[in-house]
Amino acid sequence: MKNKAQLDGMPVWFDGKSINEALFCEEFLQTHKIIFTNGAFFTPEGRVTDELPLRGEIFEELKCCAVSNIPRKISNIVELMKLAALVEDFPPEPDRIHLSNGTLFLDGTFAEGKPKIVRNRFPVAYNPNAPKPVLWLQFLDGLLYPEDIPTLQEYIGYCLIPSNKGQRMMVIKGSGGEGKSRIGVVLRSLLGSNMATGSIAKIESSRFARADLEHELLMLDDDMKLEALPHTNHIKAIVTAELPMDLERKGQQSYQGDLYVRFLGFGNGSLKALYDRSEGFFRRQIILTSKPKDANRVDDPFIAEKMCDEAEGIFLWCLEGLRLLISNDYRFTLSERARENMSEAVSDGNNAVDFMKSEGYIRLKADAEASSRDVYAVYKLWCEDNAVNPLSQRSLCLH
């Protein structure tokens, strides 16, 4: 027999005086595709980054039943829905890319529509007949050396899927004014809310910063700090992450979460470490050098917006780079200039190597010997003559 609420034409979760929040969640989940896992709601549109629209939908359902404390009721329902919609296993799908008009599989097949709940969905549509992004390619030709453009193409393509198999981050350095930051605007039009902006240095200095990168595909640092990083273990771990990591949010117990975020930084130099002299830190970086700004170039303040209009064509360009990277077993195409940049970064981060190769300060012979104290004294003299900061005596002795 139908209960009174049903006979009166009222929702089953409202008895005329109060709202049954559990029944409301049950009915809401029957008409809305939504799950909760790893601290976030997910829908066919991807991760819910702003709960306000969700709260608005709940309010639309509740407003037919005028009761007091509606804002508190909505908050209670949202918290209860986290339990009602909870799923334990929701693995990433690195073999497909979810776009505004459907899902593109890396084998080339395309399925229209949004029938499934997904982790990430991009705001750009898949259009295999999209015109070539002429303006974007002209921009890159003026920004980077020709042999480095395929590397950027592969790296941006790498950011389209939730995978860390490339095990690299990218830094583009220049003197300033070349237009590097315009890349970030274009990437936002491609990735939408799946891209975060912030400081790479903050990853090491704040214990909460890593949790903010959960579910993100890319973190862009538009103006990297040139100060040497006091620690590098978190950055190295994220770049090569293949297992869950310990994450912590303010006021919450730490938990294990998966990170597949990639780093892209723009600055006047490469990342440096204060204490980490290992080659492993630099080996995780791809360092590209931008061309000097053409003195005759007339800057277009609307260039970023114009390139965003080519988003569908730029996506196809990125997709080509991803397929090339996968066909090469996730080994990036590196020019001789990029390799030299990494060697220079290693040398800058550990000037002991250059000191040992120097002439006139030290000589290596099989029958020669010198105390660590004497070697360090000569090393300090070499640093003064070459205007570089010396390592500590202990660090030099370890090398």
Side-chain angles (χ1 to χ4, degrees):
M1 180 177 179
K2 294 184 178 181
N3 58 35
K4 182 176 183 300
Q6 291 173 308
L7 291 174
D8 291 341
M10 302 297 290
V12 296
W13 40 263
F14 184 63
D15 63 4
K17 294 182 179 180
S18 61
I19 293 172
N20 186 314
E21 296 165 2
L23 287 178
F24 179 90
C25 286
E26 181 179 341
E27 183 179 278
F28 190 86
L29 293 176
Q30 289 175 354
T31 57
H32 294 75
K33 290 183 178 180
I34 186 169
I35 63 171
F36 183 82
T37 188
N38 302 127
F41 286 107
F42 295 88
T43 73
E45 296 294 338
R47 178 169 58 100
V48 176
T49 57
D50 182 6
E51 289 186 1
L52 189 58
L54 174 61
R55 291 173 176 269
E57 288 190 53
I58 294 173
F59 172 71
E60 288 298 319
E61 300 282 345
L62 293 179
K63 69 180 184 180
C64 66
C65 308
V67 294
S68 59
N69 296 321
I70 289 292
R72 182 171 61 83
K73 284 286 185 184
I74 294 175
S75 295
N76 291 343
I77 288 171
V78 170
E79 291 303 311
L80 184 59
M81 197 172 297
K82 293 178 180 179
L83 299 176
L86 180 65
V87 298
E88 295 296 330
D89 188 28
F90 189 48
E93 300 172 311
D95 66 335
R96 65 199 68 183
I97 302 170
H98 303 288
L99 300 146
S100 65
N101 60 337
T103 298
L104 175 66
F105 296 83
L106 296 187
D107 63 6
T109 59
F110 180 74
E112 294 185 357
K114 306 174 185 178
K116 292 176 55 179
I117 296 174
V118 298
R119 278 186 172 273
N120 309 97
R121 188 175 294 279
F122 300 147
V124 64
Y126 174 62
N127 178 8
N129 300 315
K132 190 175 181 179
V134 177
L135 192 59
W136 167 252
L137 296 177
Q138 290 176 349
F139 167 78
L140 293 182
D141 184 60
L143 177 68
L144 297 174
Y145 295 96
E147 60 270 27
D148 289 332
I149 293 177
T151 310
L152 179 66
Q153 183 181 14
E154 291 173 354
Y155 194 81
I156 298 179
Y158 175 48
C159 296
L160 297 178
I161 59 173
S163 172
N164 293 93
K165 291 187 180 298
Q167 302 199 339
R168 293 292 190 98
M169 62 180 292
M170 177 173 281
V171 172
I172 301 179
K173 64 177 184 177
S175 301
E178 302 93 345
K180 300 184 295 295
S181 60
R182 301 302 91 195
I183 295 177
V185 179
V186 173
L187 290 178
R188 176 67 73 184
S189 72
L190 293 177
L191 303 180
S193 61
N194 301 293
M195 180 185 101
T197 56
S199 168
I200 293 176
K202 187 179 178 182
I203 304 301
E204 296 293 344
S205 61
S206 171
R207 71 178 192 267
F208 305 119
R210 297 189 302 281
D212 293 337
L213 300 179
E214 192 176 16
H215 313 303
E216 301 287 359
L217 292 174
L218 173 67
M219 199 208 83
L220 176 72
D221 189 340
D222 193 33
D223 188 14
M224 289 195 314
K225 294 182 178 179
L226 296 182
E227 293 88 353
L229 300 173
H231 308 286
T232 62
N233 55 307
H234 294 316
I235 291 176
K236 290 192 295 186
I238 292 172
V239 170
T240 59
E242 293 183 312
L243 294 172
M245 298 182 63
D246 187 65
L247 306 177
E248 183 178 358
R249 299 184 185 275
K250 288 184 179 180
Q252 298 181 18
Q253 179 68 33
S254 63
Y255 61 97
Q256 295 288 299
D258 291 309
L259 290 184
Y260 39 81
V261 64
R262 271 54 55 89
F263 295 127
L264 175 59
F266 305 140
N268 297 329
S270 57
L271 283 175
K272 295 180 175 62
L274 194 58
Y275 302 110
D276 189 348
R277 312 299 176 188
S278 67
E279 187 178 337
F281 171 61
F282 300 99
R283 191 177 63 248
R284 288 170 169 83
Q285 299 181 48
I286 298 174
I287 305 172
L288 303 183
T289 305
S290 61
K291 290 181 179 179
K293 180 180 177 180
D294 187 346
N296 297 319
R297 189 182 80 186
V298 178
D299 291 333
D300 181 357
F302 303 103
I303 185 67
E305 290 80 357
K306 292 176 181 177
M307 289 190 294
C308 289
D309 291 338
E310 299 180 326
E312 293 181 358
I314 295 174
F315 172 78
L316 296 181
W317 178 84
C318 298
L319 183 63
E320 182 182 345
L322 173 61
R323 286 172 171 159
L324 179 61
L325 179 66
I326 293 175
S327 68
N328 201 28
D329 294 329
Y330 288 91
R331 291 189 295 268
F332 289 92
T333 301
L334 297 179
S335 68
E336 188 59 34
R337 179 180 288 101
R339 296 181 190 277
E340 290 175 359
N341 286 341
M342 189 181 74
S343 297
E344 289 177 8
V346 173
S347 178
D348 290 343
N350 184 5
N351 55 39
V353 176
D354 288 340
F355 165 67
M356 297 302 291
K357 294 179 180 178
S358 64
E359 297 180 359
Y361 293 89
I362 191 169
R363 185 171 57 182
L364 304 178
K365 292 181 63 177
D367 57 346
E369 63 179 26
S371 68
S372 298
R373 179 178 178 180
D374 290 340
V375 171
Y376 188 69
V378 176
Y379 165 69
K380 288 187 69 175
L381 176 62
W382 177 86
C383 289
E384 291 177 5
D385 290 347
N386 289 276
V388 295
N389 295 322
L391 305 175
S392 68
Q393 185 170 354
R394 182 174 181 275
S395 296
L396 181 70
C397 291
L398 290 175
H399 289 85

